[in-house]
Amino acid sequence: VSAFFFMGGLYAAAIRLGLPSISGPRLYADAGGLLSYGMDDRDNFKLSAAHVVKVANGVSPATLPVERPTQFQLTVNLKTAAALGLRLPQDLLLRADTTIE
């Protein structure tokens, strides 16, 4: 929780300075970043859970393949865009999986 408040302060400072910010995890857009584009956390948890089940069933962790994320999520924070005085392209907004109003 304290990291979330730290990020909120970091993004508040970026907004005061007029700096747009882009990050990977959606958590950053939720904290006030302009955009985030990264792996979908739900998909990542599903992949992790599948590995846990395999290990619990006796599979050696060393034999498990490294898997890449298969789904990515674009989040646009419209409140931050407005605070920065930015007008985002309609194409970007249409491609966004989530917008924060």
Side-chain angles (χ1 to χ4, degrees):
V1 173
S2 61
F4 186 78
F5 289 117
F6 170 74
M7 289 183 299
L10 183 66
Y11 289 118
I15 291 168
R16 277 194 309 276
L17 295 171
L19 300 172
S21 55
I22 300 172
S23 62
R26 178 183 168 168
L27 176 65
Y28 294 106
D30 290 336
L34 177 62
L35 297 171
S36 70
Y37 181 73
M39 64 184 172
D40 184 347
D41 288 335
R42 292 170 295 178
D43 187 48
N44 191 40
F45 290 138
K46 288 178 189 176
L47 289 172
S48 299
H51 278 252
V52 168
V53 168
K54 290 175 185 174
V55 171
N57 288 328
V59 175
S60 170
T63 63
L64 294 175
V66 174
E67 296 187 41
R68 295 181 183 184
T70 57
Q71 296 182 8
F72 294 84
Q73 184 177 38
L74 173 63
T75 302
V76 178
N77 190 324
L78 296 173
K79 290 191 303 187
T80 299
L84 292 170
L86 297 176
R87 186 167 178 259
L88 299 175
Q90 189 65 26
D91 277 353
L92 177 69
L93 298 176
L94 290 174
R95 292 172 192 256
D97 297 296
T98 308
T99 55
I100 298 170
E101 304 274 342

